[in-house]
Amino acid sequence: MNMRHTSKANAAGKCENLIRYEINDDCTGCTKCAQRCPVDAIQAKPYELHTVDNELCIKCDICKQICPVDAVEIK
Ligand code: SF4
Ligand code: SF4
């Protein structure tokens, strides 16, 4: 594995496949992410704070790109 681009990787040495997608309080519950997620890792709950099921999430980044209020964070 090429680690040159991860010189600032966290102390535990975690790789990219262990990142998590999380939705913060800025979420307006527009459901756009839930509608676009290819693996249904986000359940649509209109006007409520949405959450990512990281067991299902394949890190495709669509939710982060589609979110109109930038509420999706990569942890
Ligand atoms: S990154 Fe992709 S798979 Fe993961 S929750 Fe977002 S849209 Fe779904
Ligand atoms: S797209 Fe953004 S604002 Fe809309 S439900 Fe998803 S996280 Fe919330």
Side-chain angles (χ1 to χ4, degrees):
M1 189 185 304
N2 184 348
M3 297 294 283
R4 273 179 300 178
H5 299 300
T6 55
S7 55
K8 287 200 137 181
N10 62 51
K14 287 182 178 175
C15 296
E16 268 180 30
N17 61 351
L18 294 178
I19 60 171
R20 297 174 59 85
Y21 275 76
E22 286 181 8
I23 299 172
N24 67 33
D25 290 349
D26 292 339
C27 172
T28 61
C30 75
T31 77
K32 279 185 181 165
C33 57
Q35 292 176 51
R36 292 291 302 276
C37 178
V39 294
D40 285 337
I42 306 172
Q43 219 191 323
K45 293 179 293 182
Y47 308 111
E48 288 180 39
L49 183 65
H50 281 53
T51 51
V52 174
D53 182 343
N54 277 279
E55 298 284 313
L56 296 174
C57 173
I58 57 169
K59 328 301 178 198
C60 73
D61 209 49
I62 287 175
C63 54
K64 187 167 165 58
Q65 291 172 31
I66 199 93
C67 180
V69 295
D70 234 349
V72 183
E73 297 177 357
I74 297 173
K75 298 271 170 107

